[in-house]
Each structure stands twice: as structure tokens, then as C-alpha cells.
Amino acid sequence: LGTLMRGNRALRLGFLSAGGWDTHANQGNASGQLANNLGALASTLVQLRRDFSQPNDVVVVASEFGRTSAENGTRGTDHGHGNAMWLMGNRVQGGRWHGGWEGLAAEQLHDKRDLPVHNDFRGVFAQVLRHVHGLTDAELNTLFPGYAWDNSLQGLIRPS
């Protein structure tokens, strides 16, 4: 992706996909499928940061779903509710997080098993698209129908 986008700076958005995260059984801990995936992700993030280090480059890491907070009966985790998104780049106001943390006690979890959702993922994408790519309210509304701007995410991206 870095080679492709450096070769054509008119390309403003790129996407990578990584499978193998559906760890319903035998996911492992310090070794195994999950640890291997996390190691590959870490190496990829280091490379992406090297490749995308220009002032307006932002890397967003997102997943289509979370994982349960506890292991299931087959030593894996099932599809969950809440998830994390990570942002990297010179414009990212780093060193902080958005959302909340109430812990992993069952009464703090969604359906007593999943992390709760604190922010709509579209809010993170909207912040990047507005502040880095200059999308207007109308363009964001077309892209994310029914979404309302989330003021709690203000300051996620530094002004240019």
C-alpha cells in the first residue's frame, strides 16, 4: 500500500484487510493464533507509520466487530460488541483515549460479556475525513446517512 500510494500521491485513501482474527477456538495466549496475529499487526503498523509519515497522513485501525471479554468453552472468544479503533499520524492528537472504562466485571459489560460501545465508529472516520480531507457536513451526511456529529471526539485531529 505504501509503495502504491507513494507512487501516486493523488491516491488519498487506501485500505488493507487482514483475516484470521475469528478465534472462536484455541486462540492461544502468549503463543498461538492470537499472539501471531498481534505480532503481524505490530510489524504492519510500524511499516505503515514509516510509509505514511507526511503531515496529513493518518492510519486508522478498525475491525468489523469486537470479541467477548472472556474465553468461551473452546478456549477462544466469540464475536463481541464494543471494540477499539487506533489512529496514527502527525495530525493525530495522541496520548489519550475516547470512550470510557468501567472494567471487566459482568455488571459493567454489555449483556454481561462484551465491552460496551462508547462512540460510533463513524464519528472517528468523520473526524479524519473532515479535518484531514476537508469533507463538508453535506458530504459526511451522504457518506454516513443518519449520523450526527459527535462533539465528544473534537480535538482527536490536530489543526493543520
Side-chain angles (χ1 to χ4, degrees):
L1 183 62
T3 300
L4 176 67
M5 293 184 81
R6 275 193 317 274
N8 183 353
R9 288 307 281 182
L11 297 175
R12 296 183 63 197
L13 297 173
F15 300 88
L16 296 173
S17 178
W21 294 92
D22 210 2
T23 55
H24 292 283
N26 300 316
Q27 95 181 359
N29 45 35
S31 63
Q33 182 181 2
L34 181 61
N36 292 340
N37 283 346
L38 290 169
L41 175 62
S43 295
T44 301
L45 292 175
V46 168
Q47 186 61 49
L48 287 170
R49 185 65 178 126
R50 283 187 193 125
D51 288 347
F52 299 104
S53 59
Q54 297 300 308
N56 277 334
D57 291 346
V58 175
V59 174
V60 179
V61 180
S63 176
E64 63 184 295
F65 53 80
R67 304 302 297 178
T68 55
S69 62
E71 187 175 85
N72 63 22
T74 58
R75 302 187 56 88
T77 53
D78 297 315
H79 294 207
H81 190 67
N83 203 350
M85 293 178 74
W86 303 335
L87 279 73
M88 298 187 304
N90 297 328
R91 294 282 306 278
V92 175
Q93 181 67 39
R96 57 195 187 133
W97 61 330
H98 294 271
W101 179 253
E102 290 84 30
L104 295 174
E107 62 274 3
Q108 302 300 328
L109 300 174
H110 175 78
D111 290 339
K112 297 188 178 197
R113 57 178 260 150
D114 298 325
L115 294 175
V117 173
H118 292 287
N119 297 98
D120 186 327
F121 72 94
R122 297 174 298 178
V124 176
F125 287 126
Q127 289 284 328
V128 173
L129 292 170
R130 170 169 289 155
H131 297 297
V132 175
H133 295 284
L135 269 66
T136 65
D137 285 341
E139 290 167 322
L140 289 171
N141 289 334
T142 298
L143 190 58
F144 302 128
Y147 171 72
W149 185 259
D150 185 348
N151 285 321
S152 75
L153 295 173
Q154 288 291 92
L156 187 62
I157 304 296
R158 288 185 180 112
S160 56

